[in-house]
Structures are given as structure tokens and as C-alpha cells.
Amino acid sequence: MKRSALSRPGVAVVASALSLALATGCSDSGSDSGSGDKPTGGKGATATAKALSDVELKKLIVGKGDLDGYRFAAADQSERFASSKEEITVADEKCAPLAYVLTGFAPGDSTAYVNTMATPVEAKPSASSTKSMEDMTEKELDDALNSITDTLGGTVTIVSLSSYEGDGAQKAMSSVSDAVKGCAGGFTATAKGAKDDAQKFTKVVAEKASGSGDESVAFAVTGDADGDKIVVHGEAVRHGSTVATYYSMNLAVFLADGKPKEYGIPAELIKAQAGKLA
């Protein structure tokens, strides 16, 4: 199918939009599965199970070697929406758990958390990808635009693991569930030092959860990006004293030739992560 053509300035705008869309808070990338015993904290854990450490969670989060077709990487510190959830302000406090899920932080009072960004594997870059747009031929420019739009059509997912003492994991799940119910009209999140760049969400709706783990809750949030409506998806899944959260965004909204396709959180990601926590 032929894509809508864009001018050279248009290509630059799309590329810039892609960079901004990926600037979401990731603190730790997933590691190889490795060997040795896995720390407990999955389905068999009780409400009184000992919380896991950052080091233990890093061994459990989905990453390289766990799922084909994805690349796992951390975003640079400078690209984060906020460096910690304490720097995030939500006008309506009951909606804060949703803001935390959507920025890669742990809902509730966790003792440790890690996260990673999963993106579909991209095609091998062409020789022209190292050229500036001014030096490209029309064909090379068209190829570069197609590569950008292919990436924009993919679903980017932030996977986060957090661990809790006592019944903290259950309380974290309840806070997310209550927020989905109580924040239907949306909410606004602001990072410290960025009052003029508040993230406005206009609608929250419950969705069918994956059913993974001991309990799960899923939701969709509609955001307002300079007049464009962007729908993103989130889910929280409890595995004993560990909570896995997923936040997916499909970047097709930045395409020049139409509305974003229907999408959700990739089921294979949830399955792969659940397998490591089993």
C-alpha cells in the first residue's frame, strides 16, 4: 500500500515526534535469563513473603533472550518524564497510580522496582540511513520515510516490576483498580520543574485484563497531544508479592495517512514475563 508522501520538512517533523514519543521513563533494561535459582516472589508467594531487591528483580524482568522479535533497552536518564515518582504531581491524588503505571514507576509503596522498554525488532538499516536528508535522493528519502512510518506503526511497551512487603502488592493493585473506577473523566500529571509541560489525559476506561498472575486489572487512557487524541493501554498484574505493570503506546497516530490501528498490550510480552515470575 502506498503511503502518503511528506516533504523533507515533514519527514523531520515525524522523526522528531518519534523521539519525543519514546522519551518515557525507563530506569533499567532487562537482562539475560542467566542461570541459577530464581528468587521467589511469584505466584506461590504469600502476603507475608519477603520483598525482592532491585538485583533480584533485574533477574526476573523480561529481557534479551526471553522473547524473539523484541529489543529491550533503557531510556537515557535525560529522556525521562521524571527521575522518580516523587517528582510527579497529579491534581487528583487518587489518579496517581495510573500516572505511575504510564511513566514506568511502581504503584503503591514498593521496596524495589526495575523497568525496561520493549520495542519490535526493526529492519536492518539501509546505507542511506547515515546520510542527512539534504544529501538523500528522492528514492533514499522515500525509503527513510517508509522506515520511520514502519517504526511509528509499532507498539512500544514499558514493562515494570515492583516488589512489596506484607500485603503491599495487594494494596498497590487495589489503588490501580480504584483509580480506573474513580478517574473516568481523566487527570493531569506534571513533572517537577515542568509546569508548562503537563500531560493531560481526558478519559480512562476499564478493559479486559489478561487474567495472568493472581489478579490483574487493565485500562485504556486517552491523552491530548496538541489537539490529537492518543489512546494508550496499561495493565497491572500481581504475582504474589511482585507486581508487573505494562504500558503500551502505538505510534501510528503520527502517520500522515490516517488513524492509528486498533492495538493492545502485546499478549506475548505478558506471557513471557509471567513465565519468568512463575
Side-chain angles (χ1 to χ4, degrees):
M1 181 180 294
K2 181 177 175 59
R3 294 178 172 88
S4 296
L6 287 181
S7 62
R8 290 174 189 266
V11 175
V13 170
V14 172
S16 177
L18 174 59
S19 297
L20 291 174
L22 292 179
T24 313
C26 293
S27 62
D28 295 285
S29 61
S31 59
D32 289 351
S33 298
S35 59
D37 294 334
K38 291 183 179 180
T40 58
K43 285 188 177 182
T46 66
T48 58
K50 180 181 180 296
L52 303 180
S53 66
D54 287 341
V55 173
E56 290 172 315
L57 288 179
K58 285 180 180 179
K59 295 178 181 178
L60 290 172
I61 196 164
V62 66
K64 182 180 178 181
D66 296 323
L67 183 64
D68 292 335
Y70 283 87
R71 182 179 68 245
F72 298 87
D76 184 81
Q77 172 77 24
S78 63
E79 294 177 331
R80 300 185 196 177
F81 177 72
S83 60
S84 70
K85 69 179 185 181
E86 286 74 25
E87 293 187 355
I88 299 174
T89 300
V90 181
D92 192 339
E93 186 61 27
K94 70 175 180 292
C95 303
L98 301 182
Y100 298 151
V101 172
L102 299 181
T103 49
F105 293 113
D109 298 321
S110 67
T111 59
Y113 90 96
V114 297
N115 56 18
T116 187
M117 182 166 63
T119 55
V121 174
E122 299 174 5
K124 185 178 180 181
S126 64
S128 63
S129 63
T130 58
K131 292 185 178 181
S132 67
M133 286 185 288
E134 291 75 13
D135 296 331
M136 290 183 186
T137 65
E138 287 302 317
K139 183 179 185 307
E140 289 173 338
L141 182 64
D142 187 58
D143 289 341
L145 174 58
N146 288 345
S147 177
I148 291 173
T149 54
D150 283 342
T151 300
L152 287 171
T155 297
V156 177
T157 302
I158 294 176
V159 183
S160 174
L161 293 184
S162 51
S163 188
Y164 305 79
E165 295 282 4
D167 62 351
Q170 289 92 326
K171 289 181 177 178
M173 291 296 296
S174 293
S175 71
V176 175
S177 180
D178 290 345
V180 172
K181 297 174 184 175
C183 303
F187 60 94
T188 300
T190 307
K192 182 179 179 181
K195 293 183 179 180
D196 296 330
D197 192 26
Q199 303 297 307
K200 184 178 181 181
F201 300 97
T202 58
K203 183 180 179 181
V204 178
V205 297
E207 293 194 305
K208 183 178 180 181
S210 64
S212 182
D214 299 318
E215 57 179 318
S216 55
V217 57
F219 58 92
V221 176
T222 301
D224 186 352
D226 296 327
D228 290 323
K229 301 300 180 184
I230 302 176
V231 178
V232 298
H233 300 270
E235 181 165 349
V237 181
R238 183 175 68 82
H239 301 263
S241 61
T242 299
V243 173
T245 64
Y246 307 86
Y247 158 48
S248 290
M249 176 181 183
N250 186 279
L251 306 178
V253 68
F254 294 107
L255 291 172
D257 59 350
K259 299 179 180 179
K261 63 182 180 181
E262 292 293 323
Y263 77 101
I265 297 171
E268 60 272 20
L269 268 176
I270 296 179
K271 182 177 180 181
Q273 182 60 81
K276 297 199 70 173
L277 292 171

